[in-house]
């Protein structure tokens, strides 16, 4: 790979240089790598802090981990998988799929495992990015950040937790060496991970205390095995798999209006969720604890056929109060409830609106991305940020979904990356910098549209919202709308930087 010379004190140092540095090897990072190769760019590396690919599907390997988006929609359009074993796939199958993509598209020579990005700084004189990693330094013309919003676990600051004598871990850092059989376990949180963990471990633990701050809406999980005949058909006649994917996509596109324009239409879905609860939970007092007081869709809608039955088992107790403190081996809730436990599992989500990568990326003005976003995350078309030339985000601000597959959004962002590269070639520029007014205009439109969505009007406090109550996470439209918004790069939204500022 090319190298550049740079001065460090009185010594000349040679630093590895690449055209593109991709950060992360989950769906976003691997998708970026495939797209770069398809665009004829082979001088790139994928920096991965772990020892294998997979991103969130590598890290989240807790008992019962599975996807809540149908398999044929939760996969790349350019890499269909005829062998999905279930309508909704489990974590092992999704991780295996990503390993398969890595091999099929010849990505392994580009991968740098156990290489964590420590800092990326824009050098405005050389018009390039300087990257410091756990394995050394390198420079790059462009950086594609695909670290994802579900990569860094969020642990609450609970008084006394450091004095707990038993095992404590987050759901995304599961302790597989710990045998839970016969243990008294507390699961803190009732989000997407917790509702899969609870029924998976309930049969083996002595007692299970589920600490619920806010109840989720839970819909039936319409899952089934995909038989060999279907797999054969999809493999031999790819058009059938494409049609299946198209139908799944269309059904979810039709739902978007209720989320973003007419939340009152969600009442029908609420009734389905209540019926689902009524079938499994016969105790009226427990049903009352489990019934949310906000509009369905305001928080992420969860899918499960086993969560409610697990809560109804004699060794399980739902405590409808937040965890307040820990005293030795006793957990204490805000309502005064106390329980002795041996293990605490936190299913408390991730740093989404305060992504840790923001503290590691320094722009042209010397501010970190986190400092630049002090008033809320914002990116032009979810991909680029003013003052951070040649930085492209995959799953950036306001690109998240509440009802469909994030792979669709990732592929749209990859189209924009390809457009970005073409714009650099067409203009002869070495870098593009999004104009501040373009970012403000785009973000203003996002927030205007957000004002009538269920996430804003539904009456809940969710991880879609930042500390100021702004929704900087979700996309207020259909995936088709986002595809159109990222189909072409509008050069008038950018400043073109020509050549190095100094030689």
């Amino acid at each position: 790979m090319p190298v550049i010379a740079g001065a460090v004190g009185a010594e000349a140092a040679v630093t590895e240089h690449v055209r593109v540095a991709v950060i992360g090897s989950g769906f976003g990072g691997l998708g970026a790598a495939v797209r770069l190769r398809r665009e004829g760019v082979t001088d790139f590396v994928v920096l991965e802090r772990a020892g294998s690919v997979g991103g969130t599907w590598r890290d989240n390997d807790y008992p019962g981990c599975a996807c809540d988006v149908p398999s044929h929609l939760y996969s790349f359009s350019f890499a269909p998988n005829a062998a999905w074993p279930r309508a909704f796939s489990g974590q092992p199958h999704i991780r295996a799929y990503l390993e398969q993509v890595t091999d099929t598209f010849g990505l392994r020579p580009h991968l740098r495992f156990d290489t964590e990005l420590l800092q990326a700084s824009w050098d405005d004189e050389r018009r390039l990015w300087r990257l410091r990693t756990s394995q050394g330094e390198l420079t790059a013309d462009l950086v594609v950040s695909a670290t994802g919003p579900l990569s860094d676990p969020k642990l609450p600051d609970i008084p006394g937790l450091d004095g707990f004598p038993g095992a404590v871990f987050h759901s995304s850092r599961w302790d597989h060496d710990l045998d839970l059989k016969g243990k008294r376990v507390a699961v803190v949180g009732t989000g997407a991970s917790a509702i899969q963990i609870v029924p998976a471990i309930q049969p083996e633990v002595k007692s299970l205390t589920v600490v619920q701050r806010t109840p989720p809406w839970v819909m039936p999980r319409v899952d089934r095995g995909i038989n060999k005949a279907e797999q054969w058909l999809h493999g031999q006649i790819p058009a059938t798999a494409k049609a299946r994917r198209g139908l799944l996509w269309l059904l979810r596109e039709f739902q978007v209006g209720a989320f973003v324009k007419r939340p009152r239409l969600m009442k029908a879905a609420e009734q389905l969720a209540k019926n689902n609860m009524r079938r499994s939970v016969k105790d009226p007092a427990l049903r009352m604890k489990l019934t949310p007081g906000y509009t369905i869709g305001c928080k992420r809608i969860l899918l499960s056929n086993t969560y409610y039955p697990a809560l109804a088992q004699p060794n399980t107790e739902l405590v409808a109060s937040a965890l307040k403190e820990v005293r030795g081996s006793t957990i204490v809730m805000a309502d005064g409830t106390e329980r002795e436990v041996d293990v605490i599992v936190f299913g408390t989500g991730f740093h989404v609106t305060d992504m840790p990568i923001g503290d590691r990326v320094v722009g042209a003005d010397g501010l970190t991305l986190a400092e630049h976003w002090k008033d809320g995350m914002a990116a032009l078309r979810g991909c680029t940020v003013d003052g951070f030339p040649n930085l492209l985000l995959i799953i950036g601000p306001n690109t998240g979904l509440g009802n469909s597959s994030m792979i669709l959004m990732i592929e749209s962002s990859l189209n924009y990356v390809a457009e970005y590269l073409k714009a650099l070639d067409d203009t002869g520029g070495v870098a593009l910098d999004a104009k501040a007014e373009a970012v403000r205009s785009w973000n203003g439109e996002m927030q205007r549209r957000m004002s009538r969505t269920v996430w804003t009007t539904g009456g809940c406090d969710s991880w879609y919202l930042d500390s100021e109550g702004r929704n900087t996470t979700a996309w207020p439209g259909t995936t088709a709308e986002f595809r159109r918004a990222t189909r072409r790069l509008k050069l008038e939204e950018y400043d073109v930087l020509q050549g190095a500022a100094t030689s």
Side-chain angles (χ1 to χ4, degrees):
M1 292 183 181
V3 295
I4 66 169
V8 180
E11 298 181 2
V14 175
T15 303
E16 177 187 9
H17 181 76
V18 294
R19 175 65 170 152
V20 183
V22 179
I23 315 300
S25 68
F27 268 99
L30 295 179
V34 172
R35 190 57 186 261
L36 287 171
R37 289 182 63 92
R38 288 188 163 187
E39 295 300 318
V41 178
T42 57
D43 180 20
F44 69 89
V45 294
V46 179
L47 307 180
E48 171 54 59
R49 66 185 178 184
S52 60
V53 302
T56 191
W57 293 105
R58 173 199 60 238
D59 297 341
N60 287 273
D61 60 353
Y62 56 78
C65 184
C67 189
D68 58 6
V69 176
S71 305
H72 286 85
L73 194 58
Y74 199 79
S75 47
F76 291 120
S77 63
F78 55 79
N81 179 23
W84 288 119
R86 300 198 65 81
F88 291 84
S89 289
Q91 177 267 343
H93 300 110
I94 297 173
R95 185 177 180 186
Y97 169 76
L98 290 172
E99 293 280 1
Q100 178 184 324
V101 168
T102 302
D103 292 328
T104 299
F105 292 92
L107 303 182
R108 294 205 182 273
H110 300 280
L111 291 166
R112 303 278 182 89
F113 291 129
D114 301 310
T115 305
E116 181 175 9
L117 176 69
L118 303 178
Q119 187 177 73
S121 302
W122 175 253
D123 184 336
D124 204 42
E125 291 186 0
R126 303 288 306 231
R127 297 280 164 83
L128 50 73
W129 283 96
R130 295 189 177 277
L131 286 74
R132 182 166 56 88
T133 80
S134 58
Q135 299 295 330
E137 298 183 0
L138 71 155
T139 59
D141 295 331
L142 296 90
V143 171
V144 177
S145 177
T147 57
L150 306 181
S151 57
D152 290 87
K154 191 172 187 177
L155 286 169
D157 184 13
I158 305 295
L161 183 60
D162 56 353
F164 182 72
V168 178
F169 50 89
H170 190 273
S171 58
S172 66
R173 303 293 186 266
W174 195 269
D175 184 355
H176 290 281
D177 293 328
L178 179 65
D179 184 3
L180 294 180
K181 187 174 182 180
K183 296 285 196 305
R184 299 169 299 177
V185 180
V187 174
V188 181
T190 52
S193 299
I195 73 154
Q196 295 178 342
I197 293 168
V198 166
I201 68 173
Q202 175 271 319
E204 63 176 302
V205 302
K206 179 180 180 180
S207 66
L208 181 58
T209 302
V210 180
V211 182
Q212 171 188 277
R213 184 175 60 180
T214 309
W217 285 105
V218 182
M219 297 284 278
R221 184 182 179 87
V222 188
D223 191 18
R224 66 174 184 84
I226 299 176
N227 60 45
K228 294 296 183 181
E230 289 176 272
Q231 294 179 19
W232 179 88
L233 182 65
H234 293 329
Q236 295 300 311
I237 309 176
T240 60
K242 188 174 182 180
R244 183 175 189 159
R245 179 185 176 92
L247 179 59
L248 291 168
W249 167 78
L250 195 59
L251 289 172
R252 280 153 181 78
E253 292 288 273
F254 281 140
Q255 299 170 2
V256 172
F259 279 84
V260 304
K261 293 181 180 180
R262 297 174 292 277
R264 64 184 181 277
L265 297 179
M266 303 296 287
K267 292 298 181 183
E270 281 187 12
Q271 192 56 53
L272 289 175
K274 288 178 180 178
N275 292 342
N276 181 45
M277 184 193 305
R278 194 174 295 113
R279 282 192 296 269
S280 300
V281 181
K282 305 305 180 184
D283 180 1
L286 181 55
R287 282 205 304 269
M288 185 175 296
K289 291 181 181 180
L290 291 169
T291 303
Y294 56 86
T295 304
I296 192 171
C298 185
K299 284 178 174 281
R300 184 175 173 182
I301 300 174
L302 308 181
L303 305 180
S304 179
N305 300 327
T306 56
Y307 178 60
Y308 287 147
L311 293 180
Q313 297 305 307
N315 69 331
T316 305
E317 178 188 17
L318 178 76
V319 179
S321 183
L323 178 61
K324 180 182 179 181
E325 64 176 307
V326 177
R327 300 173 189 159
S329 59
T330 302
I331 59 172
V332 183
M333 271 59 77
D335 66 357
T337 301
E338 298 183 7
R339 294 292 180 270
E340 291 276 335
V341 296
D342 305 309
V343 180
I344 302 176
V345 179
F346 284 99
T348 46
F350 299 84
H351 289 276
V352 176
T353 60
D354 57 342
M355 293 185 290
I357 189 69
D359 293 317
R360 304 185 182 198
V361 179
V362 182
D365 57 3
L367 295 178
T368 65
L369 192 56
E371 291 169 334
H372 184 78
W373 279 342
K374 68 181 187 301
D375 295 323
M377 298 193 305
L380 179 59
R381 303 179 190 277
C383 296
T384 55
V385 183
D386 54 299
F388 293 78
N390 282 6
L391 172 69
L392 295 118
L393 307 175
I394 309 298
I395 315 183
N398 289 118
T399 62
L401 296 176
N403 73 309
S404 193
S405 173
M406 279 306 302
I407 313 308
L408 301 170
M409 303 297 279
I410 288 172
E411 289 197 32
S412 291
S413 295
L414 297 180
N415 289 342
Y416 200 72
V417 170
E419 284 293 301
Y420 194 100
L421 292 169
K422 290 175 184 176
L424 285 175
D425 289 341
D426 292 344
T427 61
V430 297
L432 298 177
D433 189 6
K435 294 179 178 178
E437 57 266 33
V439 178
R440 282 195 297 268
S441 176
W442 176 264
N443 187 54
E445 177 65 10
M446 290 297 98
Q447 296 308 312
R448 184 191 67 78
R449 293 177 62 180
M450 203 65 70
S451 63
R452 59 180 178 176
T453 67
V454 70
W455 306 305
T456 301
T457 65
C460 74
D461 180 17
S462 74
W463 58 263
Y464 297 124
L465 309 180
D466 65 15
S467 59
E468 300 300 320
R470 292 174 297 241
N471 191 326
T472 58
T473 303
W475 167 248
T478 65
T479 62
E481 285 180 274
F482 189 68
R483 180 61 59 96
R484 289 193 295 271
T486 51
R487 182 172 291 141
R488 295 286 181 267
L489 182 143
K490 295 182 178 181
L491 200 57
E492 63 269 23
E493 295 180 331
Y494 289 87
D495 289 321
V496 181
L497 307 184
Q498 299 283 358
T502 60
S503 59

